[in-house]
Amino acid sequence: MPYAHYLRDGLSRSHIPPKVMPMTSSTLLPTPAGRSATGTQLAVANALLTLLRTTTTEPRPDEQLEALTLAVAADLPVLLWGEPGIGKTAALTQLAASLNLPLTTVIASVHEPTDFSGLPIVGDDPAVQGVPMAPPQWAVELVRAGRGLLFLDELSTATPAVQAALLRVVLERRVGALQLPPEVRIVAAANPSASAADGWELSPPLANRFVHLYWVHDREVVVRGLGGVWPRAELPRLVPERLPEAVAFARRAVCGFLEARPTLIHRLPTTETRRGGAWPSPRSWEAALALLAFGTAASVSREVLALLVRGTVGDGPGLELLAHLDRMDLPDPESLLADPASAELPVRGDLRQAALEGVVAAVGARPDRARWEAGWAVLARALETGAPDLLVAPATTLASLRRDDWEVPATVERLVGVIGLARRADRSVGRVAATADAGRATGVRR
């Protein structure tokens, strides 16, 4: 009830409920002593917040952070996928600070398409000068700075119209009529559509422009980070002398692989969800080639290279390319045949067997007695330095290449016992399995 009603009805001020008591200057403003006490407490609170926000960094192996920095160094747009609260934004903030790049964060879902494609501005004489597309303030500030890290956050909550407007920003670095400087790097973050706020699947054209990295938390990193020490993001150390070699290797690897697997040059996934991720196209293979060159020049681990390749062309094609890289690292069969005594074979079992099969295939391509005997010498060398069970298949194939007038070399005697033992072991395993199957069948009939 208004205060005037109380006065009109003859009620005293003591009957006025507390909520309608008139406010005076003494109740609105604290006393000087009160202001001082409040200011002191806020200052103490701010000091506590400063202490909580003060952290340091340390060099620490982190494969996903290394993959992110390598893609940033290669000037490729990166999209970090992860559940809410996983630390994507914090990682980007720390990355910008470590690289000394000004961070510009743009929440894609709260912007209109014209915020990326430009807003039409009518000039003095549009018939002569046309209608320019004015860029937003954040783009102008990036150009003014000349360098920076553009962080497009919440990408999976952007509408299809906004995603379409982002196509030129991500690929061509153009915002309206404005060209972003070469020193500007682009990183985006998104939640899976199932956990995003009003999420959308990424459109295939936009998804194919990114290197997709799936961000997961590491328990030790989180615990140590909450203690005040986070991993330090550092750009890869590229060795200048290796640059030409790295480029040649990357081109040979990708081109050789696509010659053998031409159906993977362009393969648009059939489902909408997979279209919003990494998939192979000439554009994404070009990005994979660049990442291979950077990874080779920086001597990154296979795990980091796998994250980048699979995040560019997809899991299936990426794994096939990695297997192709393993085969490229195999020793030349002709070099092994030329000097079997000093042959250096891979340690890993699958690569060793592939190398031996390559030697046998080389003998089969140009069979003669000297090359055939050299093949047996390579197998004998493999027996000295590795497991004998890997020799069974290559030795069997090599034996089938013998001509009637070729004498069996003495080297074969060193292999006969091992190969025969391996074969007998295989037959024993087969007999045991057959007996077990027969016993189970008999039991069933009973």
Side-chain angles (χ1 to χ4, degrees), residues 55-129:
T55 60
T56 60
T57 60
E58 64 178 357
R60 181 186 179 90
D62 190 318
E63 292 173 359
Q64 61 184 6
L65 189 58
E66 189 176 352
L68 171 60
T69 54
L70 186 71
V72 168
D75 197 18
L76 293 172
V78 185
L79 176 54
L80 303 183
W81 288 95
E83 298 295 336
I86 205 71
K88 303 184 295 296
T89 303
L92 262 297
T93 304
Q94 195 269 329
L95 174 66
S98 298
L99 303 182
N100 194 27
L101 289 174
L103 179 65
T104 300
T105 302
V106 178
I107 309 298
S109 59
V110 300
H111 285 269
E112 297 293 331
T114 52
D115 293 334
F116 302 104
S117 61
L119 186 66
I121 301 296
V122 179
D124 296 333
D125 194 351
V128 176
Q129 300 178 357

Side-chain angles (χ1 to χ4, degrees), residues 55-355:
T55 60
T56 60
T57 60
E58 64 178 357
R60 181 186 179 90
D62 190 318
E63 292 173 359
Q64 61 184 6
L65 189 58
E66 189 176 352
L68 171 60
T69 54
L70 186 71
V72 168
D75 197 18
L76 293 172
V78 185
L79 176 54
L80 303 183
W81 288 95
E83 298 295 336
I86 205 71
K88 303 184 295 296
T89 303
L92 262 297
T93 304
Q94 195 269 329
L95 174 66
S98 298
L99 303 182
N100 194 27
L101 289 174
L103 179 65
T104 300
T105 302
V106 178
I107 309 298
S109 59
V110 300
H111 285 269
E112 297 293 331
T114 52
D115 293 334
F116 302 104
S117 61
L119 186 66
I121 301 296
V122 179
D124 296 333
D125 194 351
V128 176
Q129 300 178 357
V131 179
M133 306 296 285
Q137 181 182 0
W138 59 265
V140 174
E141 292 176 352
L142 270 175
V143 171
R144 187 179 297 122
R147 55 197 296 272
L149 183 64
L150 174 58
F151 179 32
L152 302 173
D153 203 2
E154 304 295 345
L155 199 62
S156 57
T157 60
T159 63
V162 171
Q163 292 186 29
L166 280 169
L167 293 176
R168 293 195 71 193
V169 178
V170 173
L171 186 63
E172 302 175 21
R173 313 298 172 88
R174 293 194 68 89
V175 184
L178 198 64
Q179 179 71 52
L180 296 180
E183 294 298 320
V184 172
R185 299 296 194 259
I186 297 179
V187 181
N191 301 322
S193 58
S195 56
D198 193 19
W200 299 78
E201 296 289 353
L202 248 61
S203 66
L206 184 60
N208 197 238
R209 284 164 163 80
F210 282 104
V211 177
H212 299 254
L213 296 179
Y214 294 88
W215 208 256
V216 295
H217 78 275
D218 182 279
R219 178 181 59 84
E220 294 183 3
V221 170
V222 172
V223 171
R224 189 156 178 78
L226 293 176
V229 183
W230 293 98
R232 182 181 305 144
E234 297 179 344
L235 288 175
R237 298 183 180 276
L238 303 173
V239 180
E241 295 77 13
R242 297 197 63 186
L243 299 187
E245 172 194 348
V247 172
F249 172 79
R251 286 176 173 167
R252 186 171 69 252
V254 173
C255 295
F257 174 72
L258 293 180
E259 284 181 357
R261 296 284 281 128
T263 57
L264 292 180
I265 292 178
H266 187 276
R267 179 177 289 181
L268 183 65
T270 55
T271 64
E272 185 180 5
T273 300
R274 295 183 62 186
R275 289 181 180 182
W279 49 274
S281 72
R283 179 192 293 125
S284 58
W285 282 117
E286 183 180 10
L289 191 153
L291 291 171
L292 273 180
F294 270 78
T296 303
S299 300
V300 300
S301 67
R302 178 185 171 85
E303 289 72 21
V304 171
L305 202 58
L307 288 175
L308 292 167
V309 170
R310 293 169 62 187
T312 305
V313 296
D315 286 337
L319 291 173
E320 288 195 42
L321 177 61
L322 293 170
H324 177 74
L325 295 179
D326 287 337
R327 291 192 294 271
M328 288 180 61
D329 290 337
L330 295 177
D332 180 24
E334 295 297 336
S335 300
L336 298 178
L337 289 171
D339 189 8
S342 59
E344 294 186 3
L345 296 167
V347 176
R348 229 174 72 186
D350 58 335
L351 299 182
R352 173 175 286 246
Q353 185 157 18

